[in-house]
Amino acid sequence: MAGIALQALTKVFPGGVRAVDRLDLEIADGEFFALLGPSGCGKTTLLRTIAGLEEPTSGEVTIGERRVTRMPPGKRDVAMVFQDYALFPHMNVVDNIAYPLRIKGMSRSDRERRADDVGDHLGLEGLMERRPAALSGGQQQRVALARAVACRPQVFLFDEPLSNLDARLRLEARTFLKRLQRELGVTTVFVTHDQSEALALADRIAVMEAGRIRQLGTPREVFGRPANTFVANFIGSTPMNLLPATVRDGRVEVAGQRVAAPADALARLADGDEVVYGVRPEYMSLTRSAVDGALSGTVSIVENLGSSALVSVECNGHIVGATVPEGSEPDPGTTVWLAATDGRVLLYHANGELA
Amino acid sequence: MNESRLLARKVAARIVFYALVSVLSMFFALPMLWLLTAPFDSSPTYAVSVPSWTLDNFAEIGRNPYAVSSLVASVVLAVATMLIVVAGAALSSYALSRVRIPGRDALLYVLLLLSSVVTGTAAMVPIFLLVTQLGQVDERVGIDSWAAVVLVMSGGLLPAAIFMLKDFVDSIPRSYEESARVFGASPLRTLKDIVAPLISPGLATIAVWTIVNVWGNFLVPFILLRDPEKQPAAVLVRTLYTEGGQPNLALLSTFSLLYSVPVVLMYLYVSRRYGFRFHGGIKS
């Protein structure tokens, strides 16, 4: 078992693309860590640099107590699961799972026994003689996991392990993955572009943009207090309301209304400052009668989300979203009032950073 | 009325089509038929006819002092060249497919272009001189050595083989190798365990193609091998003439039949075992 430390890690590709930019990061032993970001943000490059498949331009990678920056991937004691699983099509499941052990020189009977044990544990009984082509996507994913588990590494690296599964299977695989990681207690880094996956699985999340970490924190921190408007935009299944606002006499003026704002943030701002008023649709309560200090507007669109609905309200030229429980959706065209839940309002400086 | 005319026209078109196909297939089938009947005929001519059955021709070929040794020579030359070409092409196409070198594609095209020159007529004099001089350094690779023929043939066939095989290697997802690399496999190990099994149809194609090329090549062994005991079958055929200088049709056809049988058998075997595919493409 081992933690991972990255110091001033930089990766510049030939051609000048700076995929990872002077990045410092510590991942604790046994942690389930997510690298989250839009495509092209450098998260996969970062993972591949930890694996040793990419050599950093500068900086250091430490796994456990060992500096592995210049070490080939095979010596780092890591196991990686690729997005396409990279199962060898000409080997059956047993041989696939046992292949890392074969490279390590383990005898045939030993490695087949271990492959069988791991396969049984991951619910692959009865599939061990099949070729990957004869397995479903979910089964292939479990074989790839089994292969990683069988080599008992210090670190697991997962590159979008769930993205090739259909939506329903993804939820099952997610639970399975989390339980497996808890059981084994192996430090795990996984890359995803799906914020809900990161929130559900990870102990800590690093939200990345353009090769840098924009926020590092627990899912609760990242969801509840996004450090900047980029993270606020990226996290959450419904887009966060981010409205231009101005500080006025201990309140903020948003869409022509003066509304309450957190006192600690206001203390750091001066009267007349331009800010961004942020609140998630989930924390907006919608009423059909006038409320003091609430935004008023007319309902323009109602989107059904299953157990709730997302209502878009046009307030003075701005669209503000709010979720309402199912059955209480207002009709489009009605006038409604939106009040933010206390303590859920965030103010951002004009440059996008949390005030 | 109109319908029946249409039908008549359709039938007529079919008849013309089948007649044409029959004539064409006759054209190709006749030489095959001749090859199958003439060896069993006591006095074959250029015409295909029902033979007056005899096995004397085979007995006479057996009495030719070089007939058997030439077939052995053909097998040795073909197999040795095949091994070098398959091993060399596997190694270099893997490297060329995975390593980024500036001008890689240009290099491949130039090699491909020049390769036809190596085994071609134009380069025969320089090759002969080169091998003669090599022989003065070490006679094992000089004139009259199988090694010289194998090396020249390999040199001529390798570029095209690399070119063909590279397509197969290109079609293997990189994640397979990266996965093996993370588990600690060396590049050679990856080639052996992962890449080679996945491109086995390509390797089989190249093996067969090499063997057929060497088997049928006359010029290179003819020029580089003087000793009749070392000459392969393709060169021996040239000597099967009567004292009068006329082609000895009985012996020629008999030897030709023996000469074709191994290649046909190999085709059947390989096609059954691997199936011929000229394009890679792995569905994972």
Side-chain angles (χ1 to χ4, degrees):
Chain A
M1 300 304 128
I4 302 168
L6 310 175
Q7 284 124 31
L9 199 70
T10 301
K11 172 70 187 178
V12 182
F13 282 109
V17 177
R18 198 170 269 270
V20 178
D21 194 4
R22 279 166 295 145
L23 194 140
D24 293 295
L25 181 62
E26 296 235 355
I27 298 166
D29 182 14
E31 195 171 19
F32 203 166
F33 192 90
L35 294 170
L36 175 65
S39 36
C41 71
K43 56 192 192 297
T44 296
T45 307
L46 182 58
L47 190 81
R48 290 169 57 87
T49 312
I50 299 173
L53 292 170
E54 304 283 351
E55 198 170 306
T57 313
S58 63
E60 291 288 339
V61 181
T62 313
I63 296 176
E65 299 300 308
R66 296 186 307 154
R67 280 201 168 183
V68 297
T69 317
R70 306 284 158 216
M71 249 183 224
K75 298 245 183 287
R76 297 189 178 198
D77 203 8
V78 299
M80 188 157 169
V81 172
F82 289 80
Q83 189 172 2
D84 63 356
Y85 313 136
L87 299 177
F88 307 131
H90 59 293
M91 296 182 188
N92 65 17
V93 173
V94 184
D95 290 341
N96 259 296
I97 298 176
Y99 185 68
L101 309 173
R102 190 169 132 202
I103 294 174
K104 293 197 175 90
M106 194 184 272
S107 76
R108 176 172 272 276
S109 57
D110 283 354
R111 63 178 193 247
E112 282 184 355
R113 193 172 327 118
R114 183 162 340 155
D116 277 332
D117 286 349
V118 175
D120 286 353
H121 188 74
L122 271 75
L124 294 166
E125 310 92 337
L127 305 172
M128 300 303 272
E129 297 305 320
R130 293 212 198 156
R131 293 273 177 101
L135 299 175
S136 71
Q139 290 165 340
Q140 288 185 15
Q141 194 241 12
R142 269 182 287 154
V143 175
L145 281 176
R147 186 167 65 176
V149 170
C151 48
R152 294 183 186 162
Q154 289 196 311
V155 172
F156 285 139
L157 303 172
F158 298 155
D159 186 5
E160 309 236 4
L162 305 175
S163 66
N164 275 0
L165 302 176
D166 57 57
R168 166 122 205 92
L169 205 56
R170 198 177 300 177
L171 293 183
E172 281 172 31
R174 201 164 81 180
T175 316
F176 179 82
L177 199 63
K178 184 150 187 168
R179 200 176 59 218
L180 186 72
Q181 200 270 345
R182 285 280 173 276
E183 246 173 58
L184 300 171
V186 175
T187 315
T188 304
V189 184
F190 83 104
V191 159
T192 179
H193 62 264
D194 182 346
Q195 51 87 28
S196 62
E197 208 172 285
L199 291 174
L201 285 172
D203 296 326
R204 277 198 307 156
I205 299 172
V207 185
M208 290 183 69
E209 187 200 15
R212 312 190 104 166
I213 292 177
R214 298 303 305 270
Q215 185 170 9
L216 181 65
T218 62
R220 195 169 294 281
E221 285 164 6
V222 172
F223 182 79
R225 280 186 76 77
N228 44 60
T229 48
F230 171 77
V231 177
N233 250 323
F234 196 75
I235 299 275
S237 44
T238 52
M240 188 161 173
N241 295 308
L242 294 167
L243 305 163
T246 318
V247 180
R248 295 254 186 265
D249 312 331
R251 308 191 102 188
V252 289
E253 195 173 290
V254 185
Q257 287 283 329
R258 291 210 174 171
V259 297
D264 56 333
L266 286 173
R268 290 188 286 271
L269 290 161
D271 206 44
D273 275 359
E274 298 286 322
V275 291
V276 176
Y277 177 86
V279 59
R280 291 199 181 280
E282 292 86 347
Y283 301 136
M284 276 286 191
S285 58
L286 184 144
T287 48
R288 286 181 176 77
S289 50
V291 177
D292 190 38
L295 302 170
S296 71
T298 50
V299 175
S300 59
I301 293 168
V302 177
E303 293 165 63
N304 197 336
L305 304 178
S307 65
S308 63
L310 178 65
V311 182
S312 297
V313 180
E314 194 176 329
C315 308
N316 224 348
H318 298 285
I319 298 289
V320 184
T323 54
V324 295
E326 68 179 315
S328 60
E329 299 91 345
D331 292 322
T334 49
T335 303
V336 293
W337 281 261
L338 297 170
T341 312
D342 271 351
R344 293 299 188 176
V345 175
L346 299 164
L347 291 184
Y348 294 94
H349 290 294
N351 67 6
E353 293 304 313
L354 191 64
Chain B
M1 189 64 205
N2 206 3
E3 256 177 41
S4 64
R5 190 178 287 175
L6 218 69
L7 187 75
R9 198 189 260 180
K10 241 182 181 172
V11 170
R14 282 270 118 171
I15 291 172
V16 171
F17 175 73
Y18 282 125
L20 214 76
V21 168
S22 307
V23 170
L24 267 176
S25 26
M26 277 289 278
F27 185 75
F28 287 103
L30 271 175
M32 297 288 161
L33 264 177
W34 185 82
L35 186 64
L36 285 177
T37 54
F40 302 98
D41 201 329
S42 49
S43 54
T45 61
Y46 285 116
V48 177
S49 55
V50 179
S52 44
W53 290 102
T54 171
L55 288 175
D56 287 352
N57 295 336
F58 288 92
E60 195 171 341
I61 275 290
R63 281 193 293 276
N64 183 315
Y66 303 121
V68 176
S69 73
S70 75
L71 284 170
V72 171
S74 279
V75 170
V76 170
L77 291 177
V79 170
T81 311
M82 183 271 280
L83 290 176
I84 291 179
V85 168
V86 167
L91 288 167
S92 40
S93 61
Y94 178 48
L96 280 170
S97 167
R98 293 312 192 222
V99 180
R100 295 231 135 263
I101 341 170
R104 177 186 65 178
D105 292 339
L107 174 85
L108 268 171
Y109 280 108
V110 169
L111 272 178
L112 191 65
L113 202 71
L114 291 182
S115 68
S116 52
V117 177
V118 173
T119 47
T121 327
M124 270 311 117
V125 174
I127 290 231
F128 176 77
L129 293 176
L130 180 75
V131 172
T132 311
Q133 283 172 1
L134 264 177
Q136 286 159 3
V137 181
D138 187 338
E139 63 178 17
R140 281 170 296 181
V141 288
I143 294 294
D144 257 351
S145 74
W146 281 344
V149 178
V150 168
L151 287 178
V152 170
M153 288 306 296
S154 305
L157 298 175
L158 255 176
I162 293 168
F163 195 79
M164 283 191 264
L165 208 56
K166 189 176 159 287
D167 258 5
F168 282 88
V169 182
D170 282 346
S171 70
I172 300 177
R174 262 168 201 256
S175 60
Y176 291 0
E177 289 151 67
E178 287 178 341
S179 177
R181 235 177 103 199
V182 174
F183 295 133
S186 65
L188 212 58
R189 179 97 202 227
T190 312
L191 176 62
K192 180 175 97 44
D193 290 348
I194 314 295
V195 178
L198 292 179
I199 58 170
S200 62
L203 292 173
T205 307
I206 281 166
V208 169
W209 173 79
T210 305
I211 287 180
V212 169
N213 258 293
V214 178
W215 196 262
N217 192 299
F218 168 75
L219 195 61
V220 175
F222 175 65
I223 287 177
L224 298 182
L225 298 174
R226 294 296 170 71
D227 184 352
E229 278 185 28
K230 289 190 169 166
Q231 285 173 344
V235 179
L236 183 90
V237 174
R238 183 186 55 101
T239 65
L240 299 176
Y241 280 73
T242 59
E243 290 84 347
Q246 293 294 312
N248 186 337
L249 288 183
L251 286 187
L252 262 179
S253 61
T254 312
F255 191 70
S256 298
L257 186 65
L258 291 174
Y259 177 59
S260 347
V261 164
V263 182
V264 172
L265 287 180
M266 176 191 66
Y267 260 120
L268 292 177
Y269 170 75
V270 174
S271 150
R272 195 148 186 208
R273 180 101 166 65
Y274 297 97
F276 280 104
R277 283 196 302 178
F278 279 90
H279 293 287
I282 288 148
K283 199 171 170 295
S284 56

